[in-house]
Amino acid sequence: MLFAQDVRGRAPGGREQQMVLRQDLPPQRSGAADRAPVPDPGPPSAAAPRALAPSRLLPWLARLGVPAAAFAVFQGLLGILPENLAGEAARYCVAATAGAGVGAVVWLAAALLRARSAAASVVAPAVPVPVPAPAGSLPELVDGTYQALRRGLTVIEVPGRGPLTGWPHSLAESEPPVHPTAFGTAYGLHLLLDIAPYDGRIRAGEVAETLWRLRLPGGGWAARSQGSGARPEVSAIVLGALARAGADARLLEAEIRSCEVLWDPDHDASGLANTYVVTNVLRGLLRAAPGAAALEGLREVLVNGATADPARDHHRCWGAALATGHGNPAPSAVHTARAVVALDRAARVLGEDERQCAVREEGLRWLLAGPAAPGGGASDLLNCQEEVRRPVQEDPLHQELLSVRHFAAAWVARALMTDGARQVADGEVGLPVWEAQLAAAVARVHGMQQGGVWRWDDGPMGHPVWMAYQGLSVLRRYALMVYRP
């Protein structure tokens, strides 16, 4: 193999001198001559005879072809060998042998050229060099989210509760400092554990302790607008965050026992007839108490709450209200995606029977049929809002109102990234359709953020902590799915 490498040295007179080292040079003699710089011979003289370089000889021989070269040598030797060489047969044998030998040499030369061409086409892997993350990359986006978490963090002393370290509902609410909420702090803790588990500038232990201090006197947690009564959808989310942060198992078990009444449909019939509420409780309890007796009943409530949609091949789906309740079970992409994600997580933790699997997969088929349905596809990715109404416990004549905003593209993307989505798509609409739908949902999720902060609107409540958690979770999951080492 021939290769050249420039070596620069300094001549005694101070002039920089360049030498060319070649692997095909003969070994140098030992002694002082070895250490002397080899002068550049310069261009060859025009008067000096120029030998045919091996690098030119091989292509010349290869162009002849094996049969042509062999025949040429045979004919040449046959013409110059003496006729008295032990008879005519000997002359032919010598010429044929020489021709075969040259033919073999030409064949080897051609094989060597092909091997060199193949080796030259393989680019040697570059030595990895640490470089800063390009603009808009996922690491840069994660860093932007963490900086927003630091800016939005509220540290405040509340009489009767002690120091609180957490987040309100939105990352834009921190000036002036406002009271951390259970919902915002729970999602902030989830986000912190995702992107900065080893960064001590925000201590996850202090955030978890704040969640315990925000616990209502009777047990459980509620959103800021829900008054003094604990609610199942918020309590389950907080318990899931505490379990993920490593809270004491005995404290978690005691709290779950005190909240058992919250998961009972007879206690909160209007709440547990709502898809948003049931899916929140199911996902939170699967994290905090995977052995809880209420889980199977909650899953059955969700499975039985599916309804067939004639507009999409009669596949079962979910609406804002479960079909077993008294609300509007009109098909909804975001609620169907929520249900699919919750049922997928339950299947991984608890297992599932054929009926439960069939309903979950029908929800996926309903989502995959979106682009083919009138008004489907892009409309499935539009954010939406709903109101969860409950009678006030102290005064049944009045209603409690919880305004819920849904990050539709994030939920659809999460449903399409569940374990069974690829298999269902492969047997129904095909993998290219699934990939295109997933890419469209992820693109919309990415487009709703700026510098790692997800925006619902430009108001003070327009940068929800839960939206940053959901958006970043989708992008991280998608990056892992499409990465190929």
Side-chain angles (χ1 to χ4, degrees):
M1 182 183 295
L2 306 177
F3 68 94
Q5 180 181 2
D6 288 347
V7 179
R8 296 187 181 274
R10 182 70 62 178
R15 179 173 54 87
E16 185 172 296
Q17 191 172 25
Q18 180 175 343
M19 299 173 289
V20 180
L21 303 182
R22 295 188 181 274
Q23 188 178 1
D24 56 336
L25 291 176
Q28 301 292 327
R29 293 172 298 176
S30 60
D34 292 346
R35 296 185 296 272
V38 180
D40 189 352
S45 172
R50 188 171 183 179
L52 190 61
S55 60
R56 295 187 179 182
L57 176 61
L58 293 179
W60 179 77
L61 286 174
R63 289 192 197 103
L64 290 178
V66 176
F71 183 73
V73 173
F74 170 76
Q75 281 292 100
L77 286 179
L78 192 63
I80 64 175
L81 287 174
E83 295 185 2
N84 58 355
L85 185 65
E88 190 72 13
R91 291 176 64 239
Y92 274 91
C93 286
V94 171
T97 303
V102 171
V105 170
V106 173
W107 180 83
L108 290 173
L112 178 60
L113 287 175
R114 287 193 298 269
R116 281 188 175 181
S117 299
S121 65
V122 178
V123 179
V127 178
V129 178
V131 294
S137 67
L138 184 58
E140 187 178 61
L141 190 149
V142 169
D143 184 64
T145 304
Y146 181 65
Q147 297 306 323
L149 271 183
R150 291 188 63 202
R151 291 192 302 268
L153 184 69
T154 292
V155 181
I156 189 171
E157 184 82 23
V158 177
R161 292 186 182 270
L164 300 179
T165 301
W167 292 270
H169 181 81
S170 173
L171 292 171
E173 287 187 79
S174 57
E175 293 181 3
V178 294
H179 197 292
T181 66
F183 202 71
T185 302
Y187 274 106
L189 181 57
H190 275 306
L191 195 51
L192 183 65
L193 294 174
D194 272 351
I195 64 177
Y198 309 115
D199 193 319
R201 288 176 290 179
I202 304 177
R203 298 190 179 276
E206 294 179 359
V207 177
E209 183 62 30
T210 295
L211 286 175
W212 285 116
R213 290 172 180 169
L214 291 174
R215 176 179 174 271
L216 296 173
W221 291 263
R224 185 165 53 187
S225 62
Q226 289 181 313
S228 58
R231 292 305 185 192
E233 65 274 20
V234 181
S235 299
I237 292 296
V238 172
L239 287 169
L242 287 171
R244 190 178 172 202
D248 189 297
R250 293 169 298 180
L251 292 176
L252 278 176
E253 186 179 352
E255 188 61 30
I256 290 168
R257 282 200 306 269
S258 71
C259 291
E260 280 179 345
V261 66
L262 298 177
W263 338 125
D264 185 356
D266 293 334
H267 172 77
D268 186 10
S270 56
L272 291 173
N274 181 276
T275 304
Y276 165 78
V277 174
V278 175
T279 54
N280 264 17
V281 174
L282 195 56
R283 290 183 297 111
L285 279 187
L286 284 168
R287 270 196 174 117
L295 285 172
E296 283 294 351
L298 287 167
R299 177 164 60 174
E300 280 302 301
V301 167
L302 189 58
V303 168
N304 293 334
T307 182
D309 181 13
R312 297 195 186 183
D313 297 328
H314 293 275
H315 294 311
R316 279 177 283 187
C317 61
W318 285 263
L322 295 171
T324 52
H326 303 290
N328 179 18
S332 161
V334 68
H335 293 93
T336 300
R338 276 183 170 273
V340 167
V341 171
L343 291 176
D344 174 77
R345 192 172 296 179
R348 283 186 287 165
V349 175
L350 308 174
E352 64 180 353
D353 59 29
E354 290 185 6
R355 174 175 167 270
Q356 294 162 349
C357 178
V359 173
R360 176 177 58 82
E361 290 183 349
E362 279 204 59
L364 284 167
R365 292 187 183 96
W366 187 91
L367 290 171
L368 291 167
S379 63
D380 286 358
L381 305 180
L382 297 179
N383 290 340
C384 58
Q385 192 165 344
E386 70 169 301
E387 295 178 346
V388 179
R389 297 177 179 271
R390 289 183 174 99
V392 178
Q393 294 177 351
E394 295 81 8
D395 185 3
L397 296 178
H398 293 81
Q399 286 188 328
E400 169 195 290
L401 180 64
L402 176 66
S403 180
V404 179
R405 295 183 288 183
H406 298 288
F407 192 177
W411 281 107
V412 170
R414 288 173 73 175
L416 294 178
M417 288 189 286
T418 54
D419 291 341
R422 183 184 180 91
Q423 288 76 14
V424 171
D426 194 19
E428 295 286 331
V429 297
L431 292 181
V433 174
W434 168 71
E435 291 170 353
Q437 284 187 253
L438 177 56
V442 172
R444 181 167 177 81
V445 170
H446 182 268
M448 294 191 70
Q449 61 82 33
Q450 185 174 5
V453 178
W454 270 261
R455 301 171 60 187
W456 185 276
D457 55 44
D458 292 327
M461 302 292 287
H463 301 77
V465 182
W466 57 263
M467 195 174 185
Y469 169 71
Q470 291 176 8
L472 195 58
S473 297
V474 166
L475 297 187
R476 293 172 74 243
R477 170 75 172 163
Y478 185 70
L480 291 174
M481 281 190 64
V482 300
Y483 174 69
R484 296 293 181 270

